[in-house]
Amino acid sequence: MNSDLKAAVLERCRKMEIPLVGIAGTDRWENPPFRPWMPEEFYPQSIFPGARSVIVIGLPIHLPVLETSPSIYYHELYKTVNTLLDQYTYRLASFLNDCGYPSVFVPRDGYGSIEVLRKNPVAFFSHRHAALLAGLGTFGVNNTLLTPEYGPRVRFGSVITAADLPPDPLLAENLCTRCMLCVEACPVGALDERDYPEGLTDKAACAENSAELARRHISPCGICIKVCPVGEDRRHYGRSTLAADGDPRHRRAREHVQKYGGL
């Protein structure tokens, strides 16, 4: 395995100010940590034959902005982070190609619009599962990946590469506290109180809600990740789980933002 190349990749990420980076060998898709698992066609080596490793990066969603969701503020932050993910993963793939290792970036979503998701609510590659296998977090009841640093308030992007890089260890601790705040807060009742993967999200209900928010120009929803108590970012911002509702200053800020920029 190429430890020197991994060190060079991590240094590139540091220079691009990417806070979360993990690496998984493609064999981990063939030996999943739980069942049921995804079909083989979704494995990185099925999408990019010759793949040996997947590099996953994560960028945080700033909690005070998310607390205004659904809003134009969160909508714009979401777009900004998505753009950065595509740019960073493209640059990492280009770096690896220049080093002689065939590599490709994977776009952060992999679907055209919410309307597409309403008809076929699956992307061709799961960054969340890649992040799990790269040791960046564990799944929560809300069907998102929870990280120690930011809870579920992270967006992920991936690079699939032929380079054989030393993998990072899986996260041993289950981060979900099973508080059920996400289940209770979901505006369309799309979440199940059972652990992932048994309690999968009602994707149809979630997509319908997202489509309505998109019509109003304030998608995505973000409710299930904003109420999650997991993550050091809460301490950083001095936010308890329901601080935005309990503190009049936060409530006024949220109500002000929600009045503008959307329908």
Side-chain angles (χ1 to χ4, degrees), residues 89-105:
T89 51
Y90 176 84
R91 291 171 63 183
L92 285 173
S94 296
F95 167 71
L96 289 163
N97 282 320
D98 290 343
C99 291
Y101 300 93
S103 305
V104 294
F105 93 107

Side-chain angles (χ1 to χ4, degrees), residues 9 42 48 74 113 117 137 148 153 177 193 199 222 225 228 230 248 253 261:
V9 167
F42 293 93
F48 184 59
Y74 177 41
S113 69
L117 283 184
R153 294 167 291 277
T177 65
E193 66 180 9
I225 66 172
C228 180
V230 177

Side-chain angles (χ1 to χ4, degrees), residues 3-4 10 13 35 39-40 69 74 102 128 165 191 197 217 222 227 239 250:
S3 298
D4 290 341
L10 294 178
C13 291
R35 299 285 183 178
E40 186 177 349
S69 67
Y74 177 41
R128 292 176 301 124
L165 301 173
L191 298 177
H217 307 290
V227 300
R239 301 293 215 259
H250 298 156

